[in-house]
């Protein structure tokens, strides 16, 4: 059972004036930070670019969640400008996704001519740990997306889940074949996905695709 329903924790008694939205993002950041520490160590230890890219992606996700806390605060303080505030936040989140996507592309290009030794087994272990952290964050956010702010948070984590699965696949292929090119190919594919998600989020923000905040249904 997910702990969040319609942007509020289950059992929320005062949905009109609670701090559920900010608390949800803060809890997701905590999970993300712990995952980030483990994955970053794993990326350097295994020598995997795709795992380091996943860590960089997770760092951006945490920054985006921090931004969402500030957006939620501004919405509470200036509720009559909610649509505009959430749209701006959506654009900023889209920009963050695009930045990490571009960084992965550049790093992958530089590695094509300078291959690194990759420990496929350890890469797999740390990628699985990262995937577990991603799913924990997604569970915290819940299934519904009452605002574009919440939708952007879900898109960040969903894209990270896809990336983690891709890294796991690359790790298996590297461990079996010894071909380190899989690490770079997965990195390039993931960067394309990030840029695509960035564009989708920007379009959703332009349309003002969000619903007014609603109370928790008991």
């Amino acid at each position: 059972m997910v702990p969040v329903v319609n942007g509020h924790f289950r059992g929320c008694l005062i949905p009109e004036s609670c701090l559920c939205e900010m608390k949800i993002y803060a809890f997701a950041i905590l999970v993300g930070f712990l995952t980030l520490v483990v994955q970053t160590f794993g990326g350097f230890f295994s020598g995997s670019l795709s795992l380091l890219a996943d860590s960089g992606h997770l760092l951006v996700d945490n920054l985006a969640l921090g931004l969402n806390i500030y957006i939620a605060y501004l919405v509470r303080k200036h509720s009559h400008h909610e649509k505009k505030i959430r749209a701006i936040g959506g654009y900023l989140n889209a920009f963050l996704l695009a930045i990490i996507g571009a960084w992965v592309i550049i790093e992958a290009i530089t590695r094509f001519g300078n291959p690194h030794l990759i420990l496929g087994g350890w890469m797999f272990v740390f990628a699985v740990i990262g995937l577990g952290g991603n799913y924990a964050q997604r569970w915290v956010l819940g299934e519904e997306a009452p605002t574009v702010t919440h939708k952007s948070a879900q898109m960040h984590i969903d894209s990270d889940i896809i990336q983690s699965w891709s890294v796991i696949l690359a790790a298996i292929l590297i461990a079996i074949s010894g071909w380190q090119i899989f690490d770079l190919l997965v990195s390039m594919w993931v960067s394309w996905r990030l840029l695509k998600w960035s564009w989708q989020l920007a379009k959703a923000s332009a349309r003002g695709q969000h619903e007014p905040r609603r109370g928790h249904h008991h």
Side-chain angles (χ1 to χ4, degrees):
M1 179 181 294
V2 294
V4 175
V5 176
N6 199 28
H8 293 268
F9 284 112
R10 291 182 179 275
C12 175
L13 301 178
I14 47 172
E16 294 79 14
S17 60
C18 69
L19 299 177
C20 284
E21 186 176 10
M22 287 184 276
K23 290 179 180 178
I24 290 167
Y25 301 144
F27 190 21
I29 287 175
L30 176 60
V31 176
F33 175 76
L34 296 175
T35 307
L36 174 62
V37 172
V38 175
Q39 270 200 174
T40 301
F41 170 80
F44 283 110
F45 183 79
S46 66
S48 168
L49 170 60
S50 58
L51 192 55
L52 283 176
D54 198 12
S55 299
H57 185 178
L58 187 54
L59 173 61
V60 173
D61 290 344
N62 286 346
L63 292 175
L65 288 169
L67 173 62
N68 285 355
I69 292 177
Y70 183 59
I71 292 170
Y73 166 76
L74 289 178
V75 167
R76 286 175 56 83
K77 191 173 181 180
H78 307 286
S79 58
H80 52 294
H81 292 307
E82 177 175 0
K83 183 176 181 179
K84 181 179 180 180
I85 292 170
R86 292 194 185 279
I88 293 174
Y91 285 127
L92 291 174
N93 274 303
F95 177 72
L96 289 174
L97 277 175
I99 287 294
I100 190 63
W103 175 80
V104 174
I105 290 176
I106 294 172
E107 186 66 18
I109 291 174
T110 60
R111 283 208 179 190
F112 266 113
N114 185 27
H116 289 63
L117 175 64
I118 299 173
L119 305 177
W122 282 110
M123 176 183 170
F124 174 81
V125 170
F126 286 108
V128 169
I129 294 174
L131 179 64
N134 296 153
Y135 273 116
Q137 283 185 295
R138 193 60 175 81
W139 178 74
V140 170
L141 293 174
E143 296 301 321
E144 299 166 318
T147 67
V148 71
T149 310
H150 204 89
K151 182 62 177 177
S152 70
Q154 292 174 335
M155 289 180 73
H156 273 284
I157 304 306
D158 286 346
S159 63
D160 215 348
I161 288 174
I162 292 175
Q163 183 165 357
S164 291
W165 275 113
S166 302
V167 174
I168 289 173
L169 175 60
I172 293 173
L173 293 174
I174 291 172
I176 293 175
S177 67
W179 293 354
Q180 300 179 15
I181 189 66
F182 287 117
D183 187 55
L184 299 177
L185 293 176
V186 166
S187 298
M188 296 292 287
W189 180 81
V190 167
S191 65
W192 174 79
R193 292 288 303 180
L194 288 171
L195 293 174
K196 181 180 179 181
W197 283 56
S198 172
W199 177 246
Q200 291 175 345
L201 182 55
K203 289 196 298 183
S205 301
R207 292 193 302 265
Q209 185 176 308
H210 79 283
E211 303 171 15
R213 288 176 297 169
R214 295 172 295 186
H216 173 71
H217 298 291
H218 297 281

